[in-house]
Amino acid sequence: MAGQVYKDKATLKEVMENYAIAQRFEFRVDRSNAVSYALSCISEDCEWRFKASSINKSELFKVREFIDNHTYPLKDKVYEQRQSRNSLICGMIRPKLTNYKRKYTPKDIIDDVKSDLGVDISYMLAWRAKEKSMNFLRGEPADSYKKLRGYFYTMDMTYLGSHIIMVKSPKSEFMYVYISLYAFIKGFDHCRPIVVVDGSHLKSYYTGTFVSASTLDGAAYCVIDSENDAAWTWFFEQFKIAYGDRENMCIVSDRNESIIKSVSRVYPNVPQFACIWHLWNNVYKKFKRSHAKLSEIYFSMAKAYTQAEFDSLMEKVEKVDIRVKEYLELAGYEKWARLYAPVNRGRTMTSNIAESINVALVSARELPIYNFLKEVRKMFGRWNCSNRKEATQTYTTLGEKYQEMHTLNEVVPSTEYLHTVNDGGRNYTVCMLERKCVCGRFQVDELSCPHAWAVLKSKFLMPEEYCSNYYKSNTVVMTYDVHVYPLPNRYDWNIPAHVAEEVVLPPKWKKPLGKPKKKRDKPLSELLQPKSQHSCSICGQGGHNK
């Protein structure tokens, strides 16, 4: 009513918007500036009026006139109200967006506004309210880049010995950032030197690509513009500075051409293996009529330990579809088959480690870059703590999952070191001196196979003495020996003036307008491949159908 005083104009506006919704009518803003605020009913025939102004040009606003009498016809009453504005809806939905992992869509907002306020709003209004709320909670996307220099400086001071580097363009625009925390660098010395790399798209306003390199857990992570030759080469150069070049090191990835080129440039003597799952997806897409029969054969062949087993499975592939055999030969047996690998790739046949990181960060990839990098660091910190706790609470010589005993088979000693083990009617020769078995698993996995376990149990030998140190719990403890401590509160950061004043502008790359694409852009080599021809589903031959 007239004479009421409000602490500021924003409060007054919010009150009037709530009042209009409660009374189920719409108003138009006739005047709105620093000293006055005037409203009238959206219906021109209605007498409803509201006027307020500042008290002596202060922040206080006083209601000068309020005619609360609606005279419009019933047919003019509007239920889809403009007063359901961003500010009002933002205040209502903001608590529900605090947890970035929560899926809260514009459709959910429309339903909640209808339920709580009793009015209908458009999809675009709901979407804008969500964007505004997220910017309020996490800051404007462009402002996120201004925090990076101080954040990296604080990380350098907290995690001494880490390798953290950011690259900007000549115009001070953000380009790349690479992070290897000291805990991962130190732990890499105690891991099998198998590095799994993969990239995934960021989905914030300023897009980009998140790249991770993993051993047991994350070893390094990076944000680049896209998966191109220059970016991947820069990533591997930084990885080499941080981790060096270990003996028997190998890199596992998908068949991305830029990764293959970059590895050959930066690590010319390090073999690069294909993820067998990604390679199988290529087979699936290229030879659709054969995939159902070949799936089990292919994965068994990729994991085969002996030449006889591999050749037998390849003969089956040839009988089903000789084109698949030719494709796998062209890809190179040494790239995907365990038997032909020039170095021991252990049990790492896929890029599942890196894929798991991407899945764990699927919601975080929608955050501005500063918030995203914070979530990545916190996630790796949690994993480091959890794995260290599990390792220190393991009281057997071997790790928990490697300690399970196998069923004993019949063992016949031939010499002091040679034994014959009968398993399901087939004889296997085990040499304990050279730690080999004709099944191939003992020497490749460097972990006792079922036949070696049978010998060890029958001879009362210590199983852990015949396994690689990588499987022993004390090695795992050393891998996670260095803690990833939390960073101090941002308000407690002690950042030098020259660091705080350094300019970091947002990159050129932004999220394109319109609905996000669901399919990836195919490389030129894939586009130039001849399209598969129709073939008969009965005989498998081309040129006709069934």
Side-chain angles (χ1 to χ4, degrees):
M1 63 179 62
Q4 285 185 329
V5 178
Y6 294 87
K7 66 178 182 178
D8 54 33
K9 182 180 174 182
T11 302
L12 176 60
K13 288 177 64 176
E14 185 175 349
V15 168
M16 293 310 299
E17 287 171 358
N18 279 291
Y19 177 78
I21 288 173
Q23 297 298 318
R24 300 186 67 77
F25 75 96
E26 277 197 73
F27 61 70
R28 70 164 61 90
V29 179
D30 296 329
R31 185 169 60 255
S32 178
N33 53 44
V35 296
S36 63
Y37 186 55
L39 311 174
S40 62
C41 183
I42 194 171
S43 176
E44 295 181 358
D45 299 329
C46 184
E47 295 180 357
W48 188 92
R49 295 285 184 276
F50 178 89
K51 293 180 181 179
S53 61
S54 171
I55 300 177
N56 298 326
K57 297 184 179 180
S58 67
E59 289 189 356
L60 297 175
F61 263 70
K62 183 177 182 179
V63 180
R64 307 296 182 177
E65 179 185 359
F66 184 30
I67 302 175
D68 190 18
N69 181 30
H70 291 284
T71 57
Y72 52 71
L74 184 63
K75 67 180 179 65
D76 291 342
K77 196 167 185 179
V78 181
Y79 293 98
E80 186 174 340
Q81 293 168 298
R82 292 187 302 179
Q83 273 59 60
S84 307
R85 296 180 189 276
N86 275 349
S87 56
L88 180 63
I89 300 172
C90 286
M92 187 186 80
I93 68 174
R94 198 173 293 149
K96 301 177 183 180
L97 293 169
T98 305
N99 182 358
Y100 71 90
K101 292 184 178 180
R102 178 177 179 177
K103 296 295 182 184
Y104 193 53
T105 65
K107 179 65 170 64
D108 297 327
I109 296 173
I110 293 172
D111 294 340
D112 286 350
V113 171
K114 180 67 174 177
S115 174
D116 295 348
L117 303 179
V119 296
D120 298 312
I121 61 172
S122 67
Y123 183 93
M124 185 55 67
L125 181 58
W127 183 85
R128 286 174 177 164
K130 180 182 177 182
E131 290 291 303
K132 186 175 180 179
S133 297
M134 291 193 299
N135 289 344
F136 178 87
L137 292 170
R138 293 152 197 156
E140 293 290 337
D143 294 338
S144 186
Y145 291 89
K146 299 176 184 177
K147 304 174 185 177
L148 291 182
R149 195 63 191 90
Y151 176 63
F152 297 147
Y153 176 83
T154 306
M155 289 181 69
D156 266 327
M157 295 297 100
T158 306
Y159 310 120
L160 297 176
S162 300
H163 181 60
I164 303 172
I165 183 169
M166 180 175 66
V167 175
K168 299 186 295 182
S169 72
K171 296 182 179 180
S172 295
E173 295 168 329
F174 174 87
M175 290 181 62
Y176 310 140
V177 63
Y178 174 94
I179 300 173
S180 279
L181 300 181
Y182 177 69
F184 304 146
I185 296 174
K186 189 70 175 176
F188 186 67
D189 295 335
H190 307 286
C191 296
R192 194 184 291 276
I194 303 170
V195 181
V196 182
V197 298
D198 193 27
S200 57
H201 297 294
L202 300 181
K203 300 177 182 179
S204 63
Y205 181 76
Y206 296 97
T207 58
T209 300
F210 171 70
V211 172
S212 64
S214 312
T215 48
L216 289 182
D217 282 335
Y221 56 98
C222 174
V223 173
I224 56 179
D225 53 353
S226 64
E227 294 192 71
N228 53 62
D229 294 358
W232 272 115
T233 300
W234 183 83
F235 171 79
F236 283 113
E237 286 172 348
Q238 301 309 314
F239 188 89
K240 191 170 186 177
I241 293 171
Y243 294 95
D245 187 349
R246 281 182 58 186
E247 185 180 0
N248 294 325
M249 180 176 164
C250 65
I251 294 172
V252 180
S253 70
D254 57 22
R255 300 285 288 165
N256 184 289
E257 294 178 2
S258 294
I259 297 179
I260 296 172
K261 290 179 185 177
S262 301
V263 170
S264 64
R265 290 171 185 165
V266 181
Y267 284 108
N269 299 320
V270 172
Q272 194 263 337
F273 298 138
C275 166
I276 61 174
W277 180 252
H278 282 91
L279 185 62
W280 171 248
N281 280 338
N282 293 343
V283 174
Y284 176 89
K285 294 171 185 175
K286 194 172 180 65
F287 311 103
K288 291 185 178 180
R289 70 178 178 84
S290 306
H291 75 272
K293 300 176 183 178
L294 293 178
S295 177
E296 186 176 348
I297 299 173
Y298 164 78
F299 286 105
S300 299
M301 188 166 55
K303 299 175 183 179
Y305 288 95
T306 64
Q307 189 69 54
E309 182 185 4
F310 182 89
D311 292 341
S312 174
L313 292 168
M314 184 57 82
E315 287 179 6
K316 294 180 180 180
V317 172
E318 187 175 4
K319 289 178 181 178
V320 175
D321 194 337
I322 192 172
R323 297 176 303 164
V324 175
K325 177 186 177 181
E326 293 170 350
Y327 180 81
L328 294 175
E329 285 178 342
L330 186 63
Y333 290 167
E334 73 283 357
K335 296 291 185 182
W336 58 272
R338 172 187 275 151
L339 181 67
Y340 287 89
V343 300
N344 188 354
R345 65 187 291 180
R347 305 164 70 87
T348 308
M349 302 299 294
T350 67
S351 59
N352 283 354
I353 301 174
E355 296 287 354
S356 298
I357 293 173
N358 293 340
V359 171
L361 294 171
V362 66
S363 298
R365 283 189 270 133
E366 297 182 6
L367 297 174
I369 188 167
Y370 168 73
N371 305 76
F372 170 72
L373 292 174
K374 276 179 52 180
E375 291 301 321
V376 176
R377 178 188 55 80
K378 289 195 290 187
M379 182 188 75
F380 285 139
R382 289 193 302 270
W383 289 2
N384 178 275
C385 179
S386 175
N387 290 328
R388 183 175 57 258
K389 182 179 179 181
E390 181 180 336
T392 53
Q393 293 179 353
T394 300
Y395 302 107
T396 54
T397 304
L398 294 180
E400 183 178 351
K401 68 178 180 180
Y402 306 116
Q403 193 64 33
E404 297 177 359
M405 298 298 177
H406 294 267
T407 305
L408 288 179
N409 300 312
E410 182 185 356
V411 180
V412 180
S414 300
T415 67
E416 182 181 356
Y417 300 109
L418 284 176
H419 299 78
T420 301
V421 180
N422 185 276
D423 183 6
R426 181 177 175 182
N427 291 332
Y428 294 86
T429 302
V430 180
C431 178
M432 301 307 296
L433 180 64
E434 297 182 1
R435 302 183 183 185
K436 290 183 178 180
C437 177
V438 294
C439 76
R441 292 181 60 180
F442 195 7
Q443 57 269 36
V444 174
D445 288 353
E446 298 181 292
L447 181 70
S448 302
C449 64
H451 318 112
W453 271 110
V455 175
L456 291 169
K457 293 296 289 183
S458 67
K459 301 287 288 184
F460 301 101
L461 298 173
M462 299 298 290
E464 55 270 16
E465 294 182 4
Y466 293 87
C467 298
S468 168
N469 287 333
Y470 291 123
Y471 300 118
K472 297 180 180 178
S473 57
N474 60 345
T475 304
V476 180
V477 170
M478 289 188 289
T479 302
Y480 299 107
D481 186 49
V482 180
H483 296 250
V484 180
Y485 294 103
L487 285 181
N489 189 288
R490 185 164 180 266
Y491 298 103
D492 298 329
W493 291 359
N494 186 17
I495 303 172
H498 73 278
V499 175
E501 293 170 2
E502 184 176 333
V503 177
V504 182
L505 299 177
K508 293 180 180 178
W509 10 284
K510 297 180 182 179
K511 182 187 291 186
L513 297 175
K515 191 175 181 179
K517 292 187 295 185
K518 298 294 183 181
K519 295 183 179 179
R520 66 180 177 87
D521 293 327
K522 295 183 179 180
L524 181 61
S525 59
E526 192 172 334
L527 293 172
L528 295 177
Q529 287 181 352
K531 294 183 179 179
S532 56
Q533 296 181 348
H534 295 292
S535 58
C536 177
S537 59
I538 298 176
C539 69
Q541 300 299 315
H544 65 278
N545 57 33
K546 66 177 182 180

